Amino acid sequence: MDIQREQGANYKPKKLKNFMSVKSLLVLINCILISVGQISGVLLVRTYFLHGGKRKWLQSFLLTAGFPILILPISISYAKRKNINSRVFVTPKLAIASAILGLLLGVCSYLYTFGMSYLPVSISSLLASTSLAFTAIFAYFIVKHKFTDYSINAVVLMMFGSVILGLHMNGDRPIGESNRKYTLGFVMTLGGAALHGFLNAGVEYSHLKAGVVVTSDLVMQMQFLISMFSTLFCVVAMIINKDFQAISREAEEFGLGQNKYYIILALSAIALQMMTIGSLGLIFCSTALLSGIVNALLVPVQQIFAVMFLPESFNSEKWMALAMCLWGFASYFYGEYKVSLKKVTKTKDDTPPDQV
């Protein structure tokens, strides 16, 4: 009798703990994808522009051009499901939503790329980090995301860290850069951050209003469609801008040599696709706000790598911003841990004992 009571009381909590452990693992994997993709991708794109690259739509295209790689995990997932009734296919409603989000992602990638072509990494990444604030605002109005003291603390700390970086941005201004190009790059990057925040909330909203159970298989299909439509949007722009005809000529004139030109393009496509997959996957595993917080956390980390591999400096303001971002990131995860702990405790208390 006592064993039955114990099993009945602990079944749901154990099931919840297993779910939380799987969810934590998925969050970790997506965070790694975002980190590796965003840090290396931004450095590669900036390297491209520093050594003579000028094709902005080409770099925008590379953000999602690696989307065919998703065919492999999708195929493996479907092969494991021998029963065709157990296979989940994206609904027409989600397909339309993915198409709209993909087109917006294409615009967003161009705005970011335009900014990176004229701004140093320290400034472009600073402005991109403001997507956290835009994500928080759009998530509040679109998906009714509730803030906790810890998440508010994280947002405030990270935004202050970005402000600290902004106080010293004139010292990193590229030599010979005109006021018009610098200002235009500043505005375009800020616009990209705003659109990025809307996209994060939009992806989460599409999951909530899907009308079906959103599984990992369904998310991969949506990732495929979003990336495909973003890529097609950029391809059309490249055709109009005659970028395809200019690639071979640009490769010959590239400062680091023709071979390294193509290597940088290939590595950029891989890194940026990792970032896109990780960002969309993280929204599925958690929330749009967490995706924005991870992006903001990587800003000061990008400063360190920019100093190591690019002609940029690292000062005391950037070290302080790094400390504040790490503090804010830890605050958010501690808050999530306390919330999940309360859920587990509440489930234990609410589980009725088995009747004898």
Side-chain angles (χ1 to χ4, degrees):
M1 301 291 183
D2 293 337
I3 294 176
Q4 288 179 340
R5 289 194 185 96
E6 185 178 351
Q7 289 177 342
N10 292 334
Y11 176 73
K12 289 185 179 179
K14 284 181 179 179
K15 195 172 182 180
L16 181 60
K17 286 180 181 178
N18 291 334
F19 172 76
M20 293 302 297
S21 62
V22 173
K23 181 180 177 182
S24 300
L25 179 61
L26 290 174
V27 168
L28 177 62
I29 292 173
N30 284 297
C31 284
I32 293 174
L33 288 174
I34 294 176
S35 301
V36 175
Q38 183 170 324
I39 293 172
S40 58
V42 169
L43 292 178
L44 288 166
V45 172
R46 184 57 183 165
T47 300
Y48 166 83
F49 286 116
L50 283 175
H51 294 278
K54 299 182 184 300
R55 299 289 159 177
K56 301 177 183 63
W57 279 114
L58 171 59
Q59 287 297 326
S60 303
F61 161 80
L62 293 177
L63 177 68
T64 52
F67 75 91
I69 197 175
L70 288 169
I71 294 176
L72 180 60
I74 291 174
S75 301
I76 293 175
S77 176
Y78 278 81
K80 288 182 177 180
R81 297 177 182 271
K82 296 181 180 180
N83 184 4
I84 193 171
N85 294 326
S86 65
R87 297 175 182 175
V88 181
F89 295 93
V90 64
T91 63
K93 181 179 179 181
L94 286 176
I96 294 173
S98 298
I100 296 173
L101 291 170
L103 295 176
L104 291 176
L105 179 60
V107 176
C108 182
S109 62
Y110 178 76
L111 293 175
Y112 273 146
T113 301
F114 193 100
M116 281 189 283
S117 67
Y118 296 122
L119 303 176
V121 172
S122 56
I123 304 305
S124 62
S125 58
L126 157 69
L127 295 174
S129 71
T130 59
S131 66
L132 172 62
F134 290 112
T135 298
I137 294 171
F138 286 122
Y140 177 80
F141 287 105
I142 296 177
V143 297
K144 309 301 180 184
H145 186 274
K146 294 182 179 180
F147 288 105
T148 65
D149 293 339
Y150 297 100
S151 60
I152 293 174
N153 184 51
V155 171
V156 171
L157 284 170
M158 290 183 174
M159 293 309 298
F160 269 116
S162 298
V163 170
I164 290 173
L165 287 176
L167 295 176
H168 197 75
M169 69 179 182
N170 287 332
D172 289 330
R173 183 170 179 168
I175 298 174
E177 194 74 80
S178 67
N179 290 333
R180 179 180 174 277
K181 290 181 178 179
Y182 190 81
T183 303
L184 190 58
F186 191 98
V187 173
M188 295 285 270
T189 306
L190 196 60
L195 185 54
H196 187 193
F198 177 80
L199 280 170
N200 285 340
V203 170
E204 186 175 354
Y205 181 79
S206 67
H207 292 168
L208 293 174
K209 300 296 182 179
V212 294
V213 177
V214 180
T215 63
S216 57
D217 290 342
L218 204 62
V219 170
M220 283 193 292
Q221 292 177 51
M222 287 187 65
Q223 289 177 336
F224 183 90
L225 291 174
I226 290 173
S227 297
M228 183 184 73
F229 280 102
S230 175
T231 303
L232 290 175
F233 177 80
C234 293
V235 166
V236 172
M238 288 177 67
I239 293 173
I240 296 173
N241 202 40
K242 298 181 178 180
D243 282 351
F244 288 106
Q245 299 91 318
I247 290 177
S248 58
R249 183 176 66 254
E250 189 175 68
E252 294 175 357
E253 300 172 354
F254 193 62
L256 297 178
Q258 187 171 353
N259 291 335
K260 289 186 177 179
Y261 175 85
Y262 290 112
I263 291 174
I264 288 175
L265 291 186
L267 292 177
S268 297
I270 295 172
L272 294 173
Q273 187 61 50
M274 288 174 62
M275 181 185 71
T276 303
I277 293 174
S279 180
L280 295 175
L282 189 59
I283 295 173
F284 164 68
C285 297
S286 183
T287 62
L289 183 59
L290 177 58
S291 179
I293 287 176
V294 172
N295 288 328
L297 171 70
L298 294 174
V299 171
V301 179
Q302 285 176 323
Q303 314 299 318
I304 297 175
F305 280 90
V307 171
M308 293 171 61
F309 299 104
L310 299 176
E312 297 189 19
S313 61
F314 201 87
N315 48 47
S316 58
E317 288 89 351
K318 293 177 182 178
W319 281 112
M320 186 176 295
L322 174 61
M324 294 185 75
C325 283
L326 290 174
W327 184 6
F329 194 64
S331 173
Y332 177 85
F333 269 102
Y334 180 71
E336 290 297 299
Y337 167 75
K338 292 198 70 174
V339 170
S340 62
L341 193 64
K342 286 181 179 179
K343 288 181 179 179
V344 172
T345 304
K346 187 177 185 299
T347 304
K348 287 181 179 180
D349 294 339
D350 293 344
T351 303
D354 287 349
Q355 293 182 356
V356 180

